[in-house]
Amino acid sequence: MAVETKEKAKPTLTEDFIGFGDISSSEDEEAVDVPTTGKRGRSDNDSDNEADAVPGTYQKCYNGQPVPPWLAGQRRLGTGKSPDINTMINEEVTKFVTYISPTPEEHQMRSWVIERMQRILGAWTLPGTRAVAKCFGSFETRLYLPTSDIDMTIMLYNEHNDEVSPAYAGRESIRQFLYRLARQLKQNGFCHNCEVIANARVPIIKTIERISGIAVDISINADSGMKSAQVQKSFSEKVYPNALRAIVLAIKQFLFQRSMNEVYTGGMGSYAITLLVVSLLQMHPRIRSGGLDASKNLGVLLIEFFELYGKRFNYDTVCVSVRENGCYLNKRNKTFFSPTQPYLLAIEDPCDTSNDVTKGTYGISRIKQTFSGAYDLFNNAIFAYHQTRKYGQPINDALNVRAPNSEPAKKRARGKSGKAQAPSTQTVSNDPWAPVSFLSSILHIDAKTVSMRQRLITTFHKGTMQEALGVEYQPQLVNALESNGTVPSDSVVNAVSSALEDHKKGNGATAQEQINRMKFDFAGSGNTLTIP
């Protein structure tokens, strides 16, 4: 029996909405003859007063796929029965960033790794030289993933001033010092093994800190990394404080899970990713004109990033520059053009205009192809949900169109007749509040990442690092509900004090349970404990 359908109301777009092409039906759109399935498609005119019937926990999304960890325990994002898709994607990007951002325990463990390194250097006798451990890269800019390593440089100053010691100014002297430092780190129990990469453009030590398991890259007198870190901090905290970090973290995770994030293997580093996103925001016509709020279009800007650098950007002739208000330069005029590799991406370093940030990213062709695929996958996920909302199921399912099955028939399960069973089709939920994830079409969290995060938090609550350094966990309290930073209320102080007492008594689980309800950072690095 045919299903009676209601006339769809024309979607209302927000002022800052960037359309997804033909994702919404127009008034004069020709009707599509879709076979009915006995399932009623949801209409935009349905009542929004069914929120009282929302289930508490979902294990699968509306299309039968597992709920991604950043949406665990939550219902569908957006408001109403037919929410604005732009709003849904924006909220999901925000949820993902909250999930992937390191917890206070993880950040403090990294700070303690740096302190442990500094103590080893302080106890090491270097005649006429003062060694100082300094961090740069993603740790300094807070643009790091839980799996990111710590980029550290050892500055070897003269004993009585802040000038680099001439004894360690040459490349050979730096290489020899790296080998000495590697032996010193192993003797002091900082790590089990050190790999000295002495012949790299910038000689480094790659190692893993023994207690935390965090990877550390150590260079010598590489102060240029600290300058680039300041550029990234300025863009993320002052110029685009509500947009840049979210987009960068999503792209970093996207490249990490595909092993395209290491420059020495031809991948794209954090600095290059940040500059590409900054350029996108600078050159975006609607952002430039003030007609677009980037913080309300994070998902759309992420899609546009993949479209620009995966399908539109002219890698052969264009160089990216973020100086002043941003511009595009000619690669040949900048002498960044390589006749043997014209396809390479060129990004002018704002700290040194003669430096091409991505000259080592020789795998850019594969990265470009991956960006292009991400754009297609993301848009397909959006279109599938739109069709499900419009017809009750994706249009391809309604027309009985299937993608080629990845498993040959002979390997699929066989029924009683001995014939291979047809591949199962996705089951579309009729529950209007079932979770919807667009990001999971391109992003996932692997077991290694989860295991590493669990290990760090467990080590933190065991107090192993604290015991090794002889330090205690003592956060500073500030009531977030009172923006003037006045003294926290008694209930707030009691709640945190209880958690800390449980931690000192070794009851880490109880402490963690209470602390997880709070959003805070640690004092000691210019941050405070914030209670929402």
Side-chain angles (χ1 to χ4, degrees):
M1 181 176 69
V3 179
E4 181 182 356
T5 58
K6 298 181 181 179
E7 181 182 355
K8 289 179 65 70
K10 190 173 182 179
T12 302
L13 304 182
T14 61
E15 181 182 355
D16 296 323
F17 179 77
I18 299 177
F20 293 103
D22 297 331
I23 199 167
S24 299
S25 58
S26 60
E27 292 178 352
D28 57 351
E29 179 181 347
E30 184 178 354
V32 181
D33 185 15
V34 180
T36 59
T37 61
K39 297 180 181 178
R40 177 183 176 271
R42 293 190 294 276
S43 167
D44 287 348
N45 291 328
D46 285 344
S47 172
D48 293 343
N49 298 326
E50 299 182 19
D52 294 337
V54 176
T57 304
Y58 289 90
Q59 300 299 322
K60 293 186 180 295
C61 293
Y62 83 102
N63 56 0
Q65 296 298 310
V67 175
W70 55 88
L71 295 180
Q74 300 186 39
R75 64 182 179 93
R76 191 216 64 217
L77 302 176
T79 57
K81 293 288 291 296
S82 296
D84 178 51
I85 292 181
N86 177 50
T87 301
M88 293 175 65
I89 303 175
N90 195 74
E91 288 185 22
E92 186 177 4
V93 172
T94 303
K95 296 285 185 183
F96 172 79
V97 171
T98 301
Y99 173 82
I100 205 67
S101 295
T103 64
E105 294 93 336
E106 291 171 301
H107 187 75
Q108 184 61 45
M109 288 292 287
R110 289 170 179 267
S111 299
W112 282 334
V113 168
I114 300 167
E115 182 175 344
R116 192 174 181 213
M117 171 66 75
Q118 184 57 56
R119 291 191 183 189
I120 292 174
L121 295 173
W124 190 11
T125 303
L126 296 169
T129 304
R130 178 169 51 91
V132 180
K134 294 189 176 183
C135 274
F136 60 95
S138 56
F139 177 81
E140 179 67 18
T141 60
R142 296 296 186 95
L143 293 173
Y144 66 95
L145 300 173
T147 52
S148 297
D149 53 18
I150 297 177
D151 295 313
M152 187 184 304
T153 187
I154 308 299
M155 299 301 298
L156 300 174
Y157 297 121
N158 287 325
E159 189 173 7
H160 302 296
N161 57 46
D162 289 339
E163 295 182 2
V164 175
S165 172
Y168 301 99
R171 183 179 179 86
E172 185 59 32
S173 60
I174 288 177
R175 291 173 59 183
Q176 293 300 322
F177 181 81
L178 283 176
Y179 285 109
R180 291 170 57 197
L181 177 60
R183 290 193 295 270
Q184 191 75 12
L185 293 177
K186 287 188 283 188
Q187 290 173 4
N188 284 272
F190 181 87
C191 58
H192 294 298
N193 296 295
C194 287
E195 179 186 4
V196 180
I197 307 178
N199 296 322
R201 185 170 62 91
V202 178
I204 62 171
I205 291 176
K206 294 185 75 70
T207 188
I208 297 178
E209 198 275 330
R210 180 177 57 83
I211 298 175
S212 65
I214 297 174
V216 183
D217 289 354
I218 307 169
S219 59
I220 307 299
N221 295 335
D223 58 349
S224 61
M226 292 183 287
K227 294 177 183 178
S228 64
Q230 291 304 313
V231 170
Q232 293 181 79
K233 286 187 70 174
S234 177
F235 277 120
S236 64
E237 296 178 2
K238 298 178 181 179
V239 184
Y240 302 108
N242 300 318
L244 180 63
R245 183 172 184 271
I247 301 173
V248 168
L249 286 178
I251 296 167
K252 288 189 69 172
Q253 177 64 23
F254 174 82
L255 291 177
F256 163 74
Q257 67 193 35
R258 291 162 176 79
S259 300
M260 297 180 177
N261 62 319
E262 294 288 355
V263 178
Y264 70 90
T265 59
M268 186 177 293
S270 178
Y271 190 31
I273 294 172
T274 302
L275 294 180
L276 285 182
V277 176
V278 169
S279 177
L280 170 70
L281 298 175
Q282 287 177 331
M283 303 300 290
H284 198 291
R286 292 189 62 188
I287 294 179
R288 276 193 162 190
S289 64
L292 177 72
D293 185 348
S295 65
K296 295 180 180 178
N297 288 275
L298 298 175
V300 177
L301 289 170
L302 179 60
I303 295 173
E304 291 190 335
F305 176 92
F306 290 131
E307 180 184 20
L308 174 61
Y309 297 111
K311 296 178 178 292
R312 310 295 182 192
F313 192 78
N314 187 343
Y315 288 82
D316 291 350
T317 60
V318 177
C319 169
V320 172
S321 175
V322 300
R323 287 184 296 122
E324 298 179 357
N325 293 322
C327 63
Y328 291 139
L329 306 174
N330 189 298
K331 285 173 68 172
R332 287 178 171 81
N333 295 342
K334 287 293 297 182
T335 67
F336 290 165
F337 180 80
S338 171
T340 58
Q341 295 176 305
Y343 56 84
L344 291 181
L345 173 64
I347 304 177
E348 179 190 65
D349 188 346
C351 301
D352 178 7
T353 57
S354 64
N355 179 43
D356 181 2
V357 175
T358 50
K359 59 186 174 185
T361 307
Y362 56 82
I364 188 62
S365 295
R366 185 163 167 253
I367 294 174
K368 175 187 175 183
Q369 184 180 9
T370 308
F371 283 166
S372 176
Y375 172 79
D376 294 335
L377 289 171
F378 213 137
N379 275 284
N380 289 343
I382 295 170
F383 185 71
Y385 175 67
H386 168 69
Q387 292 294 316
T388 301
R389 194 164 69 177
K390 184 175 182 180
Y391 299 114
Q393 62 178 326
I395 187 70
N396 283 349
D397 289 352
L399 299 174
N400 199 26
V401 176
R402 290 175 179 166
N405 194 61
S406 58
E407 287 219 19
K410 63 181 180 180
K411 291 187 177 181
R412 296 201 297 269
R414 297 182 179 274
K416 294 181 180 180
S417 64
K419 295 183 179 180
Q421 295 178 349
S424 60
T425 57
Q426 291 183 347
T427 302
V428 178
S429 172
N430 283 325
D431 184 354
W433 299 105
V436 178
S437 176
F438 304 109
L439 275 182
S440 59
S441 63
I442 60 169
L443 298 178
H444 73 272
I445 306 298
D446 59 10
K448 181 180 178 181
T449 300
V450 175
S451 175
M452 181 176 179
R453 302 189 78 173
Q454 290 175 341
R455 175 185 172 180
L456 271 181
I457 294 176
T458 301
T459 303
F460 176 90
H461 286 288
K462 282 184 177 178
T464 310
M465 184 69 85
Q466 295 92 312
E467 184 177 348
L469 293 174
V471 297
E472 290 186 6
Y473 159 53
Q474 293 180 336
Q476 176 184 351
L477 305 183
V478 173
N479 192 347
L481 298 179
E482 301 173 16
S483 58
N484 57 4
T486 56
V487 179
S489 63
D490 291 340
S491 60
V492 171
V493 174
N494 292 338
V496 178
S497 299
S498 174
L500 297 181
E501 285 302 317
D502 284 331
H503 167 63
K504 291 179 181 179
K505 293 176 182 178
N507 192 354
T510 304
Q512 179 64 18
E513 211 171 87
Q514 297 183 48
I515 290 174
N516 275 345
R517 301 193 186 101
M518 311 165 189
K519 181 182 180 182
F520 65 93
D521 250 318
F522 289 79
S525 57
N527 302 300
T528 55
L529 171 61
T530 304
I531 312 299

